[in-house]
Amino acid sequence: MLNFDWISHIDVGSARLIVLITFLLPFVFALTLKKSYIYSGAADNNIWRNLKIWIALLTIIMLVVYSIF
Amino acid sequence: MSLIGIDYFIIFLYLVGTVVIGLYYEKYVSSSSDYFLAGKMLPFWAIAISIVGTDIGAVDFVGLTGQAYRFGIVVANFDWIGSVPAMILAGLVFIPYYWKAGVYTIPEYLGRRYNTHLRVISASLWLIFISFTLGVMLWATGVLLKEMLGWPIMLSIILTVVIVGIYTITGGLLAVVMTDVIQVIIMIIGSLAILILGLWQIGGINELYNQVISLGPEYQHHFNLVLSPDTNTPYPWTGILFGLAFVLAPAYYIGNQIIIQRSLGAKDEWNAKASMIFGAFLKLLIPVLIVFPGLIAVALFPNVQDGDSVYAKLIKELLPPGLTGLVFAAFLAALMSTVSAIVNSVATIWTKDIYELLIKKNATDKHYLVVGRYVTAIILIFAIITSPLSAQFPGIYVYVQTINSFIQGPIFAVLILGIFSKRITQWGGLSGLIAGICLSALMYLYKKSLFSISEPFLYISWWSFLGSAIVTIIVSIVTKPHPIENLRGLVYGLVVKDPELQDILKRKIEHEN
């Protein structure tokens, strides 16, 4: 049990899918947050300050990298 | 390997520049808040760069490149899945929460949420491990510089400590962060030089891939990030996901004082949030700069027995005079950025969680500022004195790092349960922390009979986290809950959904600014 034998039958392809989902979850969480929370404390509401866009970009880069390697 | 005049000139320029920049920020320090939290005036980009600089020590250049040489790009998981999701969550949820709560340290939060015992235990654990880590890390870097350049070990250590001491004692967190910015830029330029010249010599990325794969079956997985559980590396996907992504990474970015302290010094809530997320972008670069040189070394020097020696070999074979000096300046920069961050955090924890709590309450703010500065100096002297212990206990660096990783899971379990559940009690938290640490120690002692992989620290982190969480919940259920009025501002739902409290916090923040 301590060695995760109970999930050792999962092949590497499926494991990769689980890893990709792990990257997607924080992005999905970010999408649920209100705009007022994302901009809270910001000096202005410029689009570049929208952290959801930053997170989307991060997630896309990681999904591409983990899909290739 | 030897340096020539131009190399020494570049290193000298770097050292002098660091001191001058650090001293410049002394004029901004007039209170303990200025010293420990940079007067809450830090922009997101400086915090992000500083977090990354702190995260990468000089030993990591050699160690990570060596690991990549032996195991391939799976090591990059530490900066990718082992950082990015946790940093996003930290930036969106936890950092703004701490920032609004106005705490200086994580033990301070634990003390307010649970009890003074837990605050003192967690602060003491941090102080002991971080202080010893400092001495051990300084020695390990001194040994590396001796092997590479022939510099006497104590010369490297004293040089580092004196320079870090000058700007950390005078300028506090602001000087630490701003010098980190310069240091990280130098680290990136130095690493890029090795990467570009290495790829140039091999003939490009495709050629690198072909050459490594053609070396034999043991290199077939050198370009795989996800490895099966029966891999003969310490990094199966199960350990990477459960131990690293679910426990160690969040514990590091949500519960590690060294990292959190920078974001607490942000000039507003948005900058606090953005600092972590911009930091995640910078983390994407780290494997390219540190792990890829390990793969380049596989192609250029395929039969090296000691992976940790390949970094020095890359410098010697690839870099012309001048650039060699720059890479060693980067090496010193990596060491200094980590040392200064550790020293600043230890001074904060000692002053706020031990001195102000147990030794001298209600002193003037100036008094705590002076204490913070003295403590910084004492820690640095302590580091110099304890660093030679490493020579008497070989392998101590690995042991200290391993044991340090074992307390992360239990502290994180107690922290996260305390933040999200008002039913968790002080006795639950205390029992969970102690049980989790004991569980880690037992698993480490019997690791050979319990685990099938050679270095199961990722598995131990997960199980100790889980064990700690279970004990915390069970003991909380059977003990008396805290009165709800005692938890206002300390449990997530009771902060976010309490308009009166939000108003108080807003006024407090405006007053501090």
Side-chain angles (χ1 to χ4, degrees):
Chain A
M1 182 187 146
L2 294 178
N3 288 295
F4 291 86
D5 314 320
W6 40 285
I7 48 171
S8 60
H9 62 279
I10 294 177
D11 62 284
V12 170
S14 305
R16 192 184 304 278
L17 195 64
I18 295 170
V19 168
L20 295 179
I21 291 168
T22 306
F23 279 110
L24 272 174
L25 288 177
F27 172 60
V28 172
F29 171 70
L31 289 180
T32 65
L33 296 171
K34 287 181 184 166
K35 199 176 165 187
S36 58
Y37 180 78
I38 292 288
Y39 282 105
S40 173
D44 54 56
N45 280 12
N46 274 339
I47 191 157
W48 73 269
R49 289 189 192 271
N50 188 342
L51 298 176
K52 288 184 187 181
I53 297 173
W54 296 24
I55 293 165
L57 198 57
L58 267 173
T59 308
I60 290 167
I61 295 170
M62 282 290 88
L63 292 181
V64 170
V65 168
Y66 274 79
S67 300
I68 295 171
F69 296 103
Chain B
M1 192 186 308
S2 59
L3 302 180
I4 61 169
I6 179 82
D7 296 319
Y8 281 111
F9 177 70
I10 287 170
I11 293 173
F12 176 75
L13 210 62
Y14 158 71
L15 295 175
V16 172
T18 301
V19 172
V20 170
I21 291 165
L23 286 175
Y24 170 78
Y25 288 101
E26 193 272 338
K27 65 183 179 185
Y28 294 102
V29 179
S30 58
S31 69
S32 65
S33 170
D34 294 339
Y35 190 71
F36 296 123
L37 295 182
K40 291 214 165 195
M41 59 189 284
L42 295 172
F44 75 91
W45 54 269
I47 299 170
I49 294 173
S50 179
I51 287 172
V52 173
T54 301
D55 190 32
I56 303 165
V59 181
D60 294 328
F61 273 91
V62 174
L64 279 178
T65 307
Q67 292 267 306
Y69 183 86
R70 290 173 63 201
F71 305 124
I73 62 165
V74 68
V75 181
N77 278 307
F78 282 86
D79 291 298
W80 291 344
I81 197 168
S83 294
V84 174
M87 290 178 92
I88 293 174
L89 282 180
L92 290 180
V93 179
F94 296 94
I95 297 296
Y97 171 68
Y98 295 142
W99 194 86
K100 280 182 183 173
V103 292
Y104 279 74
T105 68
I106 298 295
E108 184 185 352
Y109 169 78
L110 288 172
R112 283 200 215 167
R113 172 62 182 82
Y114 291 105
N115 58 30
T116 308
H117 300 304
L118 206 80
R119 180 176 182 180
V120 173
I121 289 175
S122 60
S124 305
L125 282 172
W126 274 114
L127 286 175
I128 292 166
F129 282 112
I130 296 178
S131 302
F132 277 103
T133 301
L134 194 59
V136 171
M137 191 176 69
L138 281 168
W139 186 264
T141 311
V143 170
L144 281 175
L145 288 171
K146 184 171 188 260
E147 285 170 2
M148 290 176 173
L149 299 173
W151 289 5
I153 296 174
M154 286 313 283
L155 172 74
S156 308
I157 292 174
I158 291 170
L159 182 73
T160 304
V161 164
V162 168
I163 290 172
V164 168
I166 290 171
Y167 69 78
T168 311
I169 291 168
T170 53
L173 182 64
L174 184 59
V176 169
V177 169
M178 289 312 184
T179 48
D180 278 356
V181 172
I182 306 297
Q183 287 159 348
V184 169
I185 290 169
I186 292 171
M187 280 159 59
I188 289 174
I189 296 171
S191 304
L192 269 179
I194 292 181
L195 182 74
I196 292 168
L197 290 171
L199 283 175
W200 180 271
Q201 189 152 330
I202 290 169
I205 292 174
N206 287 340
E207 197 54 35
L208 171 70
Y209 178 82
N210 293 334
Q211 284 191 27
V212 172
I213 294 295
S214 67
L215 287 171
E218 66 268 40
Y219 291 93
Q220 294 308 303
H221 297 298
H222 256 56
F223 287 91
N224 289 354
L225 284 164
V226 183
L227 299 179
S228 70
D230 59 0
T231 175
N232 52 5
T233 77
Y235 311 120
W237 74 266
T238 41
I240 292 290
L241 193 69
F242 287 93
L244 181 63
F246 292 167
V247 177
L248 284 181
Y252 188 68
Y253 291 105
I254 293 165
N256 187 316
Q257 178 64 28
I258 299 170
I259 297 299
I260 298 298
Q261 191 161 341
R262 276 135 190 70
S263 296
L264 294 179
K267 63 181 175 184
D268 55 45
E269 186 189 333
W270 184 86
N271 274 277
K273 286 186 281 208
S275 66
M276 272 288 169
I277 296 165
F278 187 61
F281 273 105
L282 298 176
K283 289 288 279 183
L284 299 184
L285 283 176
I286 302 307
V288 179
L289 300 173
I290 298 180
V291 175
F292 270 71
L295 297 171
I296 289 171
V298 175
L300 292 177
F301 328 112
N303 296 313
V304 176
Q305 292 300 315
D306 177 15
D308 287 352
S309 67
V310 297
Y311 192 78
K313 229 170 151 49
L314 283 168
I315 296 173
K316 191 176 176 184
E317 301 292 332
L318 294 176
L319 298 183
L323 273 180
T324 308
L326 189 70
V327 168
F328 277 102
F331 213 71
L332 289 170
L335 174 65
M336 287 180 183
S337 61
T338 309
V339 170
S340 61
I342 290 176
V343 169
N344 191 254
S345 308
V346 173
T348 310
I349 289 180
W350 169 263
T351 309
K352 303 303 289 187
D353 295 308
I354 304 289
Y355 186 81
E356 191 175 334
L357 182 72
L358 303 175
I359 299 170
K360 190 159 186 172
K361 283 181 183 169
N362 305 322
T364 62
D365 187 66
K366 284 274 181 223
H367 177 80
Y368 294 125
L369 170 63
V370 172
V371 169
R373 284 181 158 150
Y374 273 114
V375 171
T376 306
I378 291 167
I379 294 159
L380 286 167
I381 294 166
F382 178 79
I384 294 177
I385 295 168
T386 54
S387 61
L389 283 175
S390 300
Q392 292 168 30
F393 302 100
I396 193 173
Y397 181 76
V398 176
Y399 280 115
V400 169
Q401 293 292 356
T402 307
I403 293 168
N404 199 8
S405 76
F406 293 166
I407 63 170
Q408 305 268 344
I411 287 184
F412 180 56
V414 172
L415 182 68
I416 203 106
L417 286 169
I419 288 174
F420 284 111
S421 171
K422 53 183 181 282
R423 186 60 187 83
I424 300 298
T425 67
Q426 54 176 327
W427 301 117
L430 192 60
S431 320
L433 181 65
I434 294 168
I437 292 169
C438 293
L439 191 62
S440 287
L442 283 173
M443 283 192 287
Y444 185 65
L445 284 174
Y446 296 104
K447 65 178 181 180
K448 281 185 182 161
S449 52
L450 290 173
F451 299 102
S452 55
I453 55 175
S454 57
E455 287 303 330
F457 68 99
L458 293 174
Y459 285 171
I460 293 176
S461 302
W462 165 258
W463 292 118
S464 64
F465 165 79
L466 199 65
S468 181
I470 290 168
V471 172
T472 304
I473 291 168
I474 291 172
V475 175
S476 295
I477 289 169
V478 298
T479 49
K480 197 178 161 191
H482 293 267
I484 201 80
E485 59 271 20
N486 290 2
L487 298 175
R488 284 181 69 199
L490 298 170
V491 175
Y492 196 76
L494 301 179
V495 178
V496 177
K497 292 175 187 166
D498 188 334
E500 189 190 338
L501 186 67
Q502 285 291 323
D503 197 41
I504 294 168
L505 291 171
K506 199 175 169 186
R507 281 204 301 274
K508 188 180 167 204
I509 290 161
E510 283 167 1
H511 174 71
E512 281 179 359
N513 286 340

